[in-house]
């Protein structure tokens, strides 16, 4: 969404690098480029004027003049001012002291209210709540049916006593105010702690829309009124937001379609003009493409500084803890990293969502945007197909995969042999990196970052031990594995002195390799 703005701002800051001191002319040129970038991104003119004025005032003050690195200080100022116009702090839902918490959705038709209702309900369910969706949009064709489908996909019940209209030629007959009130009563009787009321929208702002929305608001007295706005609406976002603020006095904003390719100035304008915070953002078509809006993280994304915190949260939410513990233990024991492990890690990453979106959250991702745009999300599916076309022994000992085996694997997975070769090459590199980290040698290419073994002196004895390579013969390898397992499970021979409940006559001091003459002390 903010690709163009991000590129323009990043290019502007590059011109400041290497300057020990910024003159007034440097600051004016920088502010001028920032102003152009914001206007090109469809940010409202009043917001641009206020933003650039604050940046210029701070940039010409002692805050920058006394800085060791003026260029970085300018970036810091722009970042802080971006956070301010985006709302300043993360705003969460104000839950009612006496449930249920009532949330009303309002906005223009086509902004994505009904889809957002499903996303919000699923997100709240994941937070431990028990939401109920209320279908109070009785005028848009099939709006009630769409909400029922979204509720079913989210695993959330939908209260829909009226079917609404099924075509644009059918006149609306139901009373949305009565439906909203009945939905609230239903939530109380079924002990739902959150009620989400989906209301009707229009193709433009009109008196009838505002009156209906105001009547529903007065009838159910919601704890939150969320204004849903299309982030691609452009300069008209400010007028629309102001009209809805006057009509229904919304408490927060939800931005939809942030995954689009428009310039996205609405996100930078609405919060500043209305004084109401952006609370949530919809970033895709799926029900999981929904997130809490963090102004500081969004500002970091715009300035190409990444959003590592969101990545960590996604990993914590989607990563299988049992699998993570298993891999950590295997890593600590310096066991071989196999293709099964490789496949498991790829599947865990896929659970986190789109690979493109995750990579774009990394710092400096703007520099490789073209490569990321060309990335094929189906690559993980092809990797899984290739690995699953291998035998169990081939996954454990990939060195045995010769030419004929590679041809068989390629045929079984529906890919070219070159793709099998490429996967095995990448896996070999990953295996070497994992082995080096396990031995405490650090991450290749990152000096000073030690692997787990480097922090555990108790494993130093194991680090030098070289493991015996497995045989390429499947039968012989199976026999070796069985012998190793029997050896590991065999009871260890312990000295059977009095401390172990046995007689001292069974104890041989020489087995302890004690100093000469020490046997006499033990009575032997």
């Amino acid at each position: 969404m903010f690709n163009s703005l991000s590129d323009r701002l990043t290019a502007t800051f590059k011109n400041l690098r290497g300057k020990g001191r910024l003159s007034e002319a440097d600051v004016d040129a920088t502010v001028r480029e920032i102003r152009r970038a914001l206007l090109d991104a469809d940010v409202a003119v009043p917001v641009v004027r206020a933003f650039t004025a604050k940046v210029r005032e701070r940039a010409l003050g002692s805050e920058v003049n006394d800085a060791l690195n003026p260029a970085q200080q300018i970036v810091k100022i722009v970042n802080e001012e971006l956070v301010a116009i985006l709302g300043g702090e993360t705003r969460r839902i104000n839950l009612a002291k006496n449930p249920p918490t009532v949330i009303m959705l309002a906005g223009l038709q086509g902004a994505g209210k009904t889809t957002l209702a499903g996303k919000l309900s699923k997100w709240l369910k994941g937070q431990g709540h028990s939401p109920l969706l209320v279908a109070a949009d009785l005028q848009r064709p099939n709006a009630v049916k769409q909400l029922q489908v979204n509720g079913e996909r989210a695993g959330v019940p939908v209260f829909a006593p009226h079917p609404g209209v099924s075509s644009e030629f059918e006149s609306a007959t139901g009373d949305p105010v009565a439906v909203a009130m009945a939905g609230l009563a239903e939530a109380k009787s079924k002990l739902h702690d959150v009620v989400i009321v989906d209301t009707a929208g229009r193709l433009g702002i009109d008196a009838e829309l505002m009156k209906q929305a105001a009547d529903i608001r007065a009838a159910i007295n919601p704890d939150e009124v969320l204004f849903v706005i299309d982030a691609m609406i452009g300069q008209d976002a400010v007028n629309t937001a102001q009209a809805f603020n006057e009509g229904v006095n919304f408490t927060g904003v939800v931005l939809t379609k942030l995954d689009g390719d428009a310039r996205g100035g609405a996100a930078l304008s609405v919060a500043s003009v209305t004084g109401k915070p952006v609370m949530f953002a919809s970033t895709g078509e799926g029900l999981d493409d929904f997130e809490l809006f963090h102004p500081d993280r969004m500002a970091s994304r715009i300035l190409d500084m990444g959003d590592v915190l969101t990545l960590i949260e996604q990993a914590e939410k989607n990563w299988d803890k049992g699998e993570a513990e298993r891999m950590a233990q295997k890593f600590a024991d310096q066991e071989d990293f196999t293709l099964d492990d490789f496949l498991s890690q790829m599947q865990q990453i896929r659970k986190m969502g789109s690979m493109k979106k995750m990579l774009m959250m990394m710092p400096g991702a703007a520099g490789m945007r073209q490569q990321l745009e060309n990335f094929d999300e189906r690559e993980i599916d092809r990797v899984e197909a290739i690995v699953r076309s291998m035998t169990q022994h081939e996954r454990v000992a990939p060195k045995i995969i010769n030419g004929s085996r590679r041809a068989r694997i390629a045929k079984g997975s529906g890919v070219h042999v070159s793709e099998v070769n490429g996967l095995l090459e990448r896996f070999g590199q990953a295996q070497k990196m994992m082995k080096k980290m396990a031995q405490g040698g650090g991450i290749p290419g990152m000096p000073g970052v030690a692997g787990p073994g480097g922090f555990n002196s108790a494993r130093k004895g194991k680090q030098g031990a070289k493991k015996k390579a497995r045989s390429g013969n499947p039968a012989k390898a199976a026999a070796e594995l069985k012998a190793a397992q029997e050896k590991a499970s065999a009871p260890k021979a312990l000295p059977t002195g009095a401390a172990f409940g046995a007689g001292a006559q069974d104890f041989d001091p020489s087995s302890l390799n004690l100093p000469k003459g020490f046997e006499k002390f033990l009575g032997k």
Side-chain angles (χ1 to χ4, degrees):
M1 171 59 74
F2 297 106
N3 291 350
S4 176
L5 177 60
S6 178
D7 291 343
R8 291 283 296 272
L9 291 177
T10 303
T12 300
F13 297 141
K14 281 182 180 178
N15 297 329
L16 299 177
R17 292 178 185 173
K19 294 189 176 183
R21 187 178 180 85
L22 297 182
S23 64
E24 186 173 349
D26 292 329
V27 172
D28 287 340
T30 301
V31 170
R32 187 163 52 248
E33 288 300 317
I34 292 173
R35 182 186 298 113
R36 289 174 179 171
L38 292 173
L39 290 173
D40 286 346
D42 267 342
V43 180
V45 174
V47 177
V48 174
R49 286 174 179 167
F51 180 85
T52 52
K54 289 181 181 178
V55 171
R56 187 178 188 278
E57 180 183 354
R58 293 181 60 183
L60 289 175
S62 60
E63 186 176 348
V64 170
N65 292 333
D66 297 340
L68 294 177
N69 190 325
Q72 291 181 358
Q73 197 68 16
I74 290 287
V75 175
K76 177 176 178 289
I77 291 172
V78 172
N79 179 64
E80 290 174 354
E81 293 301 328
L82 273 177
V83 172
I85 68 171
L86 286 171
E89 297 180 353
T90 302
R91 164 77 153 75
R92 301 177 186 273
I93 292 177
N94 289 325
L95 299 174
K97 293 181 180 179
N98 298 314
T101 299
V102 182
I103 302 172
M104 173 182 165
L105 304 182
L108 295 178
Q109 184 173 317
K113 290 190 305 301
T114 304
T115 302
L116 182 99
K119 294 181 177 182
L120 178 59
S121 67
K122 186 173 182 181
W123 183 82
L124 286 167
K125 185 179 178 182
Q127 299 290 314
H129 296 283
S130 175
L132 173 70
L133 290 167
V134 178
D137 181 358
L138 308 180
Q139 294 169 320
R140 182 171 64 86
N142 294 314
V144 174
K145 182 64 177 177
Q146 182 186 354
L147 187 66
Q148 289 173 328
V149 171
N150 286 335
E152 183 179 352
R153 290 171 58 200
V156 174
V158 178
F159 180 74
H162 194 285
V165 298
S166 57
S167 71
E168 58 184 338
F169 304 106
E170 187 177 344
S171 300
T173 57
D175 184 357
V177 177
V179 169
M181 293 177 65
L184 182 55
E186 175 77 4
K188 290 178 179 178
S189 65
K190 297 291 180 65
L191 301 179
H192 292 282
D193 65 343
V194 180
V195 180
I196 302 172
V197 182
D198 181 30
T199 65
R202 293 290 186 281
L203 295 176
I205 301 169
D206 56 41
E208 183 184 355
L209 163 68
M210 290 304 173
K211 185 178 184 306
Q212 185 185 103
D215 289 344
I216 294 176
R217 193 190 201 290
I220 62 177
N221 190 25
D223 300 282
E224 296 280 9
V225 179
L226 302 183
F227 173 52
V228 183
I229 186 170
D230 186 342
M232 299 190 293
I233 196 172
Q235 290 280 350
D236 196 42
V238 174
N239 296 331
T240 305
Q242 286 177 325
F244 269 88
N245 194 29
E246 294 171 1
V248 296
N249 188 26
F250 58 80
T251 59
V253 179
V254 181
L255 294 170
T256 62
K257 305 178 186 178
L258 272 182
D259 57 322
D261 57 359
R263 289 169 285 189
L268 302 177
S269 306
V270 174
S272 180
V273 170
T274 64
K276 304 298 175 64
V278 179
M279 293 175 60
F280 296 100
S282 176
T283 58
E285 293 294 331
L287 287 183
D288 292 319
D289 296 327
F290 178 80
E291 60 188 44
L292 194 65
F293 188 87
H294 300 278
D296 53 341
R297 300 184 192 181
M298 184 58 69
S300 293
R301 292 188 200 183
I302 293 172
L303 297 179
D304 196 28
M305 294 190 293
D307 186 0
V308 179
L309 284 176
T310 299
L311 272 178
I312 293 171
E313 288 177 358
Q314 289 182 358
E316 289 177 343
K317 178 182 176 182
N318 297 289
W319 207 269
D320 188 311
K321 293 183 179 179
E323 176 64 21
E325 290 174 0
R326 184 187 72 83
M327 283 303 302
Q329 185 59 45
K330 188 169 188 175
F331 192 80
D333 293 341
Q334 297 187 41
E335 295 182 18
D336 287 341
F337 184 67
T338 68
L339 277 162
D340 277 328
D341 299 326
F342 183 70
L343 177 61
S344 175
Q345 298 301 297
M346 295 286 282
Q347 290 172 333
Q348 293 292 326
I349 291 173
R350 183 163 59 178
K351 287 181 183 179
M352 294 173 61
S354 169
M355 186 74 75
K356 288 181 184 178
K357 289 182 181 178
M358 286 191 291
L359 292 175
M360 285 304 297
M361 290 182 192
M362 298 298 292
M368 54 179 182
R369 184 175 294 126
Q370 188 62 44
Q371 296 93 312
L372 292 178
E373 289 297 328
N374 295 329
F375 176 77
D376 189 354
E377 295 279 359
R378 295 171 297 176
E379 181 65 25
I380 296 179
D381 295 327
R382 284 192 282 270
V383 169
E384 182 174 356
I386 293 172
V387 175
R388 294 196 183 283
S389 297
M390 300 177 184
T391 66
Q392 191 60 45
H393 186 59
E394 287 171 342
R395 298 181 199 179
V396 175
K399 290 184 178 180
I400 70 170
I401 303 179
N402 53 23
S404 60
R405 289 176 184 259
R406 294 180 188 222
R408 188 205 77 238
I409 293 168
K411 187 175 181 181
S413 55
V415 300
H416 294 291
V417 176
S418 60
E419 293 184 59
V420 178
N421 294 339
L423 172 62
L424 292 173
E425 184 178 347
R426 293 196 300 273
F427 171 73
Q429 294 170 352
Q431 198 175 39
K432 288 178 182 177
M433 183 186 74
M434 298 293 281
K435 187 175 291 186
K436 186 172 183 180
M437 289 174 65
Q439 293 174 348
I443 301 174
M446 297 180 68
V449 182
F455 299 109
N456 192 347
S457 58
R459 300 194 182 277
K460 286 183 178 178
K462 292 184 179 181
Q463 291 173 8
K466 189 173 181 181
K467 288 201 169 187
K468 184 179 178 182
R470 290 190 178 93
S471 171
N473 186 317
K476 188 175 179 182
E480 291 176 354
L481 182 61
K482 184 177 179 181
Q485 290 174 342
E486 289 176 352
K487 184 177 179 181
S489 61
K492 298 286 189 296
L494 295 173
T496 54
F500 298 95
Q505 66 275 9
D506 300 322
F507 176 58
D508 181 12
S510 61
S511 64
L512 293 179
N513 196 23
L514 297 172
K516 211 172 211 183
F518 200 78
E519 294 88 346
K520 294 180 181 179
F521 179 76
L522 296 175
K524 288 284 182 177

